[in-house]
Amino acid sequence: MSVPEHESPAVESYVRLKVLGMHLKAHGFTVHHVAGGLVVRNVTSTARGLCGGGGVAGDTIMCRPHDGDGGRYWYYTSWRQPIAECERITDALVMIKGYLGAPA
């Protein structure tokens, strides 16, 4: 997926997060967009939240170019760990489902 060259990196990230959000919704996650990220929650999980709270497992996923991958856009966790290249949506879903406690 690419957006026209005249689009800003913020627009590129937003579009890619929208795509990820649609896929995550289809897999039963709740999602909502916030400035610069996508809040994802696994409401079916009994796992502890990633920020130390109990209850729902969740994270804020961001999208930005990966310095070590030729500037390709990648998804990142809120603690800045790479999840997967944006073109590899299935890999991103598997990783997110894994760390948010959803069955693969």
Side-chain angles (χ1 to χ4, degrees), residues 60-71:
T60 301
I61 296 172
M62 294 160 283
C63 175
R64 62 181 169 80
H66 190 299
D67 293 334
D69 192 19

Side-chain angles (χ1 to χ4, degrees), residues 1-40:
M1 164 198 281
S2 71
V3 295
E5 288 187 31
H6 65 276
E7 298 290 353
S8 73
V11 170
E12 176 86 10
S13 294
Y14 177 79
V15 169
R16 291 176 181 275
L17 288 169
K18 279 294 253 191
V19 170
L20 179 62
M22 289 186 300
H23 285 275
L24 288 165
K25 280 183 183 180
H27 285 261
F29 289 87
T30 60
V31 300
H32 70 274
H33 294 270
V34 295
L38 178 70
V39 176
V40 180

